[in-house]
Amino acid sequence: MSTVQKICFFYFATLMVAASLNYIPGLTDDQGLAFGIFALDLYDDALHVASALWALIAGLRSRTAARLFLILFGAAYLGDGVFGFFTGYGFLDMGIFTNASLGIDLSLGRILANLPHLALGGFALLAGLRDARS
């Protein structure tokens, strides 16, 4: 089993945890914010589960499928995090199409809200591209 396939299994587990955050007592506050930072809805949960299943299938299928998942998922999630950081909304949940931009905000809340997508997307993209060169 290749390294990129193992990374896909990590993404499967991580994304399933992300999809379950709203359903673990004590992780959301009175306003429905997970860890008091960001809100997740049923659409977000469905995206996380679909991405997790894509990661699992890619990891089980082949090194090539795993590499493709990491590159495509990484680019999409990294881009979503960048949009979220600069506008307050991402594109994966169609937020940038349905809400006016909140503008750049360098607050800790905005950074923490987008950090998961920036980190997971950036790492996946880097891992997929590094494997493609080898």
Side-chain angles (χ1 to χ4, degrees), residues 3-19:
T3 301
V4 289
Q5 287 173 283
K6 292 175 185 174
I7 293 171
C8 281
F9 296 135
F10 163 78
Y11 276 87
F12 168 72
T14 302
L15 291 163
M16 289 304 287
V17 168

Side-chain angles (χ1 to χ4, degrees), residues 38-57:
F38 50 86
L40 296 170
D41 58 23
L42 191 57
Y43 186 75
D44 295 318
D45 296 338
L47 274 172
H48 287 129
V49 169
S51 297
L53 293 175
W54 180 22
L56 177 64
I57 292 166

